[in-house]
Amino acid sequence: MLEKLSANQRLMLAVALSVIFFVGYTAIVPPIEPENKVIDAKSIQNNSSASQMQSSSNMQDIITHDISEKEKYGSDDKSVIVTVTNKDYILKVDTLGRISSKELLQDKFKTKEDQHAQLISTTGMKPLFLRFLDEALNSEAMSVAYTADVRELTLDGVAKKVILTQKLSTLTVTKELTFYDDGHYDAKVSLSQDKRYFIYLGQRPKVNETEQMMTVTGAMIFTDDEIATIIEDGDAEGRKTFSGVELVSAFDQYSATIMYGFAKDTNIIVERDRDDNPVVYFDALQIMAFSGYVGQKEYKVLKNIKPILTNAIEYGWFTFASRPLFQLLSWLHGIFGNWGWSIIALTLMIRAVLYPLTYKGMMSMQKIKAISPQIKEIQAKYKSDPQRMNKAVMDMYKKHNANPLGGCLPMLLQIPVFFAIYRVLLNAVELQGAPWIMWVTDLSRMDEFYVLPILMGASMFYQQRLTPTNFTDPIQEKVFKYLPVIFTFFFLTFPSGLVLYWFVNNIFSIMQQFVVNTQFKNAQDAQIALSKHAIKEEHKEEVKAKQLEKKSGKNDD
């Protein structure tokens, strides 16, 4: 069946099946939303022997839940002891010494309800939560509030520091937190005496979850051997320990809670909660220094903080292709200043690189189309002898220099490129709030007027009309006729940036197919003209020979 389809038809079939699978799987097996449960501090179980050989179920009682701030401190306002503000965000630290809130103030990050994005949920584990191994000490720590040497910090281009102090009966905990305009912070946690304790990364951000489609969420551990281990929500199993860690991240589509700057021998531990979501924390020293970031996964921001942090931007299986494509897209954005035009330019560059292979495949399919009547005659003639029929067909291909698999390589190359671009355009927070032209005001969201999806479907339909076909099965022909409708339906809710890429890709394909069709027709016309000329010359020679023969006969008389 595949050898009878053109390169573009094979590509459309492969992508259609992939889209149907991923969308169908997402619809049939939706992600389980975790329950946010609240318990009292006394229900947290910690003892030395149990923690050394703790079962997963016991650990869940420790790490799954959060302390209800309203129950413990009366109200959210009373639980906040430090507020950090700048032009881009408002960050709050609560009485347990945790980052309890971070609100993004930029309009481009607003939710679909037109509210400022809140990166940290009101319930659940929060960044910088500290847990002691000793049960009695941990219970006391959960009931004694931190104090701060300053309540308000306003960042205006200069880093500012706050010192949090928790005085327990036998121990004093000090957290020195230095905050920066770009959203990262430096932390130094120290104890007045050596006790074993753990510091938590906090749960991942949960922003616009209903708009996120086919994206990976969970935790990432990136080690110094440049291996990124991703544990998706719902897939965490037991306990895993990592060393030589460069960064840990709890992430969703566009944002992340990150910690980095650990000593090489720091043990990073990943547990699972009751919903099999990953919970990340590390075994801390008496004096522990590290850094963190809570915010959007913007490439330039992360690179300026520390280049290693760009690895927190994950693209799944296609990272090897997606990362350089995004860097190329960013370079183009520096030229055009508009992400929409940058996507169009990137599409043109990809088509130009693939042009030689695609051209070869298209020409091969044109040749196959030209000899298809002869192929059908052979198939009808030797239908009772498949072996002889296959040999005769292959001889025919060889005679006309037509490769039935000539379109496979371009197809195989375009599929990973498509999915690499798909991951780039799906995960690039830079596209949030980024306009293109007129009605397209946010390339990260669907086209509310459905103009791009309809244009994409129409261009796919026209592309099919130009593409040579060799259907012998009417069912196959009907399936391909409905592909533009199927694609249009699925692309209705896709991000505008992705639909723009596919539409422009179709336009370039149409232009290329038109060129190939014209060249092939001209070549055929030239061949026919040459054949006619040869026949005409041959006829002239025959006439001339007859005339000479007649003349010779007369002379003999």
Side-chain angles (χ1 to χ4, degrees):
M1 172 183 172
L2 287 178
E3 64 270 13
K4 299 174 183 176
L5 308 180
S6 73
N8 284 317
Q9 289 170 339
R10 295 175 190 177
L11 175 62
M12 287 188 290
L13 176 61
V15 175
L17 292 176
S18 301
V19 170
I20 291 170
F21 171 77
F22 284 116
V23 174
Y25 181 84
T26 305
I28 297 171
V29 189
I32 301 172
E33 291 294 329
E35 295 181 19
N36 292 319
K37 300 181 181 179
V38 176
I39 65 167
D40 189 81
K42 293 182 180 179
S43 67
I44 298 180
Q45 298 300 318
N46 263 324
N47 58 61
S48 180
S49 60
S51 295
Q52 297 295 336
M53 303 176 60
Q54 198 130 31
S55 69
S56 179
S57 60
N58 288 337
M59 279 299 297
Q60 288 169 6
D61 290 332
I62 296 172
I63 64 178
T64 303
H65 307 297
D66 186 26
I67 303 301
S68 170
E69 293 173 343
K70 289 188 176 181
E71 286 182 6
K72 201 164 190 60
Y73 300 109
S75 72
D76 291 334
D77 293 336
K78 291 182 180 179
S79 71
V80 175
I81 58 173
V82 180
T83 300
V84 182
T85 60
N86 80 342
K87 62 183 179 61
D88 293 329
Y89 65 82
I90 299 174
L91 182 146
K92 297 178 181 180
V93 179
D94 67 9
T95 49
L96 289 180
R98 310 168 303 176
I99 298 176
S100 60
S101 170
K102 184 166 185 180
E103 179 182 357
L104 303 181
L105 302 180
Q106 301 102 310
D107 288 341
K108 66 179 181 178
F109 297 138
K110 281 186 175 181
T111 64
K112 64 178 182 179
E113 292 83 13
D114 202 35
Q115 300 294 319
H116 286 144
Q118 174 56 256
L119 299 183
I120 299 177
S121 300
T122 55
T123 58
M125 194 61 67
K126 294 176 173 57
L128 297 178
F129 173 68
L130 187 152
R131 176 176 65 84
F132 288 98
L133 184 65
D134 181 85
E135 178 183 356
L137 184 59
N138 191 67
S139 295
E140 182 184 3
M142 296 298 293
S143 60
V144 176
Y146 280 79
T147 58
D149 66 337
V150 55
R151 290 192 60 86
E152 301 280 345
L153 290 178
T154 301
L155 304 180
D156 50 6
V158 179
K160 294 187 178 179
K161 182 169 70 173
V162 59
I163 299 176
L164 310 178
T165 305
Q166 184 184 47
K167 293 185 178 296
L168 305 177
S169 58
T170 60
L171 181 73
T172 298
V173 181
T174 303
K175 292 183 181 180
E176 296 182 20
L177 305 178
T178 304
F179 294 97
Y180 298 82
D181 272 325
D182 55 17
H184 88 279
Y185 62 89
D186 295 329
K188 180 181 178 183
V189 181
S190 56
L191 309 184
S192 59
Q193 57 180 292
D194 196 9
K195 296 287 184 180
R196 193 175 181 193
Y197 69 103
F198 309 95
I199 296 175
Y200 284 76
L201 171 65
Q203 66 179 357
R204 68 172 178 85
K206 299 179 180 180
V207 183
N208 282 339
E209 289 203 297
T210 57
E211 293 186 358
Q212 298 179 17
M213 45 189 283
M214 290 179 281
T215 56
V216 176
T217 59
M220 171 195 288
I221 294 85
F222 186 81
T223 50
D224 53 11
D225 54 4
E226 298 189 352
I227 294 177
T229 302
I230 295 177
I231 304 171
E232 296 185 35
D233 284 350
D235 290 343
E237 297 179 354
R239 177 190 294 184
K240 295 181 180 179
T241 304
F242 301 83
S243 59
V245 173
E246 295 284 355
L247 69 89
V248 293
S249 170
F251 63 91
D252 70 356
Q253 182 176 4
Y254 294 128
S255 49
T257 298
I258 302 172
M259 288 182 179
Y260 61 98
F262 307 106
K264 296 296 183 183
D265 57 352
T266 302
N267 287 324
I268 305 295
I269 303 163
V270 181
E271 281 278 0
R272 66 182 179 91
D273 65 13
R274 287 176 178 160
D275 299 301
D276 293 331
N277 297 329
V279 179
V280 184
Y281 58 99
F282 60 89
D283 206 339
L285 303 175
Q286 183 176 356
I287 299 177
M288 191 76 194
F290 59 96
S291 299
Y293 172 82
V294 180
Q296 303 294 76
K297 295 184 289 185
E298 293 187 76
Y299 182 87
K300 288 184 179 179
V301 172
L302 296 176
K303 184 178 181 180
N304 289 336
I305 295 172
K306 193 174 184 180
I308 196 71
L309 296 185
T310 58
N311 291 284
I313 305 172
E314 63 81 30
Y315 300 102
W317 294 345
F318 295 95
T319 296
F320 71 94
S322 297
R323 195 178 299 279
L325 281 175
F326 175 76
Q327 291 172 353
L328 177 57
L329 182 64
S330 297
W331 178 76
L332 291 170
H333 180 258
I335 296 174
F336 294 100
N338 180 289
W339 287 104
W341 294 116
S342 302
I343 291 171
I344 293 173
L346 178 64
T347 309
L348 176 59
M349 293 176 72
I350 291 172
R351 296 297 305 187
V353 170
L354 295 177
Y355 179 80
L357 289 171
T358 308
Y359 175 82
K360 187 176 180 180
M362 287 180 172
M363 290 299 289
S364 180
M365 294 309 297
Q366 287 283 7
K367 291 176 182 179
I368 291 175
K369 179 187 177 183
I371 64 174
S372 60
Q374 297 158 272
I375 297 294
K376 288 179 180 178
E377 289 179 7
I378 292 174
Q379 290 172 338
K381 183 177 180 180
Y382 299 111
K383 63 180 179 180
S384 59
D385 189 349
Q387 188 173 355
R388 192 174 178 184
M389 178 185 70
N390 290 335
K391 184 178 183 306
V393 169
M394 294 308 296
D395 289 342
M396 181 65 68
Y397 286 149
K398 189 174 181 181
K399 178 182 177 182
H400 292 273
N401 196 27
N403 183 2
L405 301 179
C408 284
L409 186 57
M411 178 196 70
L412 292 176
L413 285 174
Q414 289 182 62
I415 289 176
V417 169
F418 166 74
F419 280 108
I421 284 287
Y422 171 79
R423 295 296 302 190
V424 166
L425 300 181
L426 201 63
N427 286 18
V429 66
E430 287 80 0
L431 298 186
Q432 277 196 297
W436 176 41
I437 56 172
M438 295 186 292
W439 76 98
V440 182
T441 57
D442 189 342
L443 288 166
S444 71
R445 294 187 176 180
M446 62 176 282
D447 182 352
E448 295 181 352
F449 300 98
Y450 306 116
V451 176
L452 282 176
I454 292 173
L455 289 175
M456 187 278 302
S459 64
M460 184 176 287
F461 174 77
Y462 185 67
Q463 183 183 354
Q464 280 189 344
R465 298 289 299 271
L466 288 178
T467 305
T469 58
N470 184 30
F471 290 112
T472 57
D473 186 348
I475 296 179
Q476 295 176 16
E477 189 172 7
K478 287 182 180 179
V479 168
F480 277 96
K481 280 184 178 179
Y482 283 106
L483 269 183
V485 178
I486 296 172
F487 265 63
T488 302
F489 173 76
F490 280 118
F491 274 63
L492 287 176
T493 57
F494 274 29
S496 300
L498 184 63
V499 183
L500 175 63
Y501 162 75
W502 195 252
F503 168 61
V504 174
N505 185 66
N506 285 348
I507 295 299
F508 289 146
S509 295
I510 289 170
M511 294 168 61
Q512 186 174 337
Q513 188 70 62
F514 182 79
V515 170
V516 169
N517 290 354
T518 303
Q519 289 179 341
F520 189 80
K521 185 178 183 301
N522 291 340
Q524 278 188 320
D525 292 343
Q527 185 66 33
I528 292 171
L530 186 62
S531 299
K532 287 181 177 180
H533 178 72
I535 292 171
K536 188 176 181 180
E537 290 296 320
E538 184 179 350
H539 180 67
K540 285 182 179 180
E541 291 294 329
E542 289 179 357
V543 171
K544 188 176 181 181
K546 287 180 180 179
Q547 289 175 346
L548 288 173
E549 184 179 351
K550 186 181 290 186
K551 185 177 181 181
S552 175
K554 287 180 178 180
N555 290 336
D556 291 342
D557 292 340

XYZ file of all heavy atoms in Angstrom, residues 329-330 332-345 431 434-438 440 443 500:
199
model
N 15.221 29.537 15.992
C 14.013 30.365 16.025
C 14.264 31.656 16.809
O 13.823 32.736 16.406
C 12.857 29.573 16.648
C 11.494 30.269 16.708
C 10.961 30.535 15.302
C 10.487 29.401 17.492
N 14.989 31.550 17.922
C 15.308 32.733 18.724
C 16.206 33.692 17.948
O 16.038 34.915 18.027
C 16.007 32.313 20.027
O 15.155 31.520 20.823
N 16.267 34.033 14.706
C 15.396 34.677 13.710
C 14.536 35.759 14.354
O 14.290 36.807 13.754
C 14.511 33.625 13.040
C 15.231 32.640 12.114
C 14.305 31.507 11.703
C 15.766 33.357 10.871
N 14.105 35.494 15.595
C 13.308 36.508 16.298
C 14.126 37.769 16.532
O 13.597 38.887 16.504
C 12.803 35.947 17.629
C 11.983 36.925 18.415
N 12.488 37.626 19.491
C 10.695 37.340 18.275
C 11.556 38.419 19.984
N 10.462 38.273 19.265
N 15.428 37.591 16.755
C 16.298 38.750 16.912
C 16.376 39.582 15.647
O 16.631 40.790 15.703
N 16.129 38.944 14.498
C 16.155 39.651 13.213
C 14.805 40.295 12.913
O 14.726 41.480 12.571
C 16.544 38.683 12.073
C 17.971 38.161 12.289
C 16.415 39.367 10.718
C 18.387 37.102 11.301
N 13.730 39.509 13.055
C 12.400 39.989 12.661
C 11.669 40.729 13.782
O 10.793 41.549 13.513
C 11.538 38.817 12.187
C 12.023 38.172 10.918
C 12.744 36.997 10.947
C 11.764 38.746 9.686
C 13.202 36.398 9.786
C 12.211 38.173 8.513
C 12.943 36.993 8.566
N 11.982 40.392 15.030
C 11.294 41.029 16.149
C 9.857 40.597 16.315
O 9.096 41.211 17.066
N 9.463 39.522 15.631
C 8.096 39.020 15.699
C 8.157 37.496 15.600
O 8.745 36.952 14.648
C 7.260 39.594 14.558
C 5.815 39.120 14.566
O 5.510 37.962 14.271
N 4.907 40.019 14.913
N 7.548 36.814 16.576
C 7.648 35.351 16.606
C 6.890 34.714 15.447
O 7.277 33.643 14.962
C 7.125 34.816 17.942
C 8.056 35.084 19.084
C 7.923 36.027 20.056
C 9.284 34.413 19.354
N 8.984 35.986 20.925
C 9.839 34.999 20.521
C 9.979 33.366 18.748
C 11.043 34.578 21.084
C 11.187 32.939 19.303
C 11.701 33.542 20.451
N 5.823 35.337 14.979
C 5.072 34.784 13.854
C 5.899 34.753 12.582
O 5.991 33.720 11.905
N 6.533 35.888 12.254
C 7.384 35.927 11.062
C 8.608 35.040 11.235
O 9.133 34.493 10.249
C 7.787 37.367 10.755
C 6.630 38.231 10.357
C 6.150 39.320 11.021
C 5.811 38.078 9.190
N 5.067 39.846 10.366
C 4.837 39.102 9.230
C 5.782 37.171 8.124
C 3.862 39.261 8.256
C 4.802 37.317 7.150
C 3.875 38.341 7.216
N 9.060 34.897 12.473
C 10.201 34.007 12.739
C 9.834 32.554 12.450
O 10.651 31.794 11.906
C 10.664 34.159 14.190
O 11.022 35.488 14.473
N 8.604 32.161 12.804
C 8.132 30.802 12.518
C 8.076 30.582 11.008
O 8.473 29.522 10.499
C 6.755 30.563 13.166
C 6.888 30.507 14.694
C 6.113 29.283 12.640
C 5.560 30.500 15.428
N 7.596 31.588 10.269
C 7.515 31.471 8.812
C 8.914 31.330 8.210
O 9.155 30.491 7.332
C 6.787 32.690 8.223
C 5.315 32.670 8.654
C 6.899 32.723 6.699
C 4.541 33.907 8.277
N 9.857 32.147 8.692
C 11.234 32.075 8.192
C 11.866 30.725 8.521
O 12.577 30.139 7.691
C 12.070 33.206 8.789
N 6.272 32.397 23.363
C 5.125 32.636 22.494
C 3.891 33.121 23.267
O 2.917 33.552 22.650
C 4.765 31.363 21.720
C 5.831 30.814 20.760
C 5.282 29.641 19.974
C 6.331 31.896 19.821
N 2.490 36.539 22.553
C 3.219 37.064 21.392
C 2.275 37.185 20.202
O 1.732 36.181 19.735
C 4.385 36.143 21.046
N 2.057 38.377 19.664
C 1.156 38.551 18.513
C 1.876 38.246 17.204
O 3.099 38.256 17.128
C 0.770 40.017 18.602
C 1.984 40.677 19.200
C 2.582 39.668 20.151
N 1.079 38.009 16.170
C 1.627 37.900 14.817
C 1.067 39.063 13.992
O 1.685 40.113 13.911
C 1.287 36.537 14.205
C 1.754 36.404 12.773
C 2.944 36.847 12.271
C 1.027 35.823 11.691
N 3.017 36.568 10.927
C 1.855 35.939 10.537
C -0.224 35.218 11.574
C 1.455 35.464 9.292
C -0.612 34.740 10.333
C 0.216 34.862 9.210
N -0.121 38.886 13.429
C -0.756 39.980 12.695
C -2.247 39.993 13.011
O -2.830 38.965 13.341
C -0.570 39.849 11.168
C -1.103 38.500 10.679
C 0.889 40.047 10.768
C -1.141 38.350 9.171
N -2.846 41.121 12.932
C -4.299 41.320 13.020
C -4.935 40.498 14.135
O -4.753 40.790 15.307
C -4.939 41.038 11.644
C -4.493 42.021 10.572
S -5.342 41.820 8.986
C -4.739 40.255 8.423
N -4.429 37.430 15.215
C -3.587 36.508 15.987
C -2.799 37.322 17.002
O -1.770 37.922 16.687
C -2.633 35.712 15.074
C -1.815 34.732 15.915
C -3.413 34.963 14.006
N 0.272 33.647 20.079
C 0.650 32.455 19.319
C 0.635 31.186 20.162
O 0.736 30.083 19.625
C 2.045 32.653 18.708
C 2.114 33.644 17.543
C 3.563 34.017 17.241
C 1.438 33.071 16.311
N 0.143 27.918 12.369
C 0.817 28.786 11.406
C 1.957 28.038 10.727
O 2.123 28.119 9.502
C 1.350 30.033 12.116
C 2.187 30.990 11.256
C 1.352 31.566 10.121
C 2.768 32.111 12.131
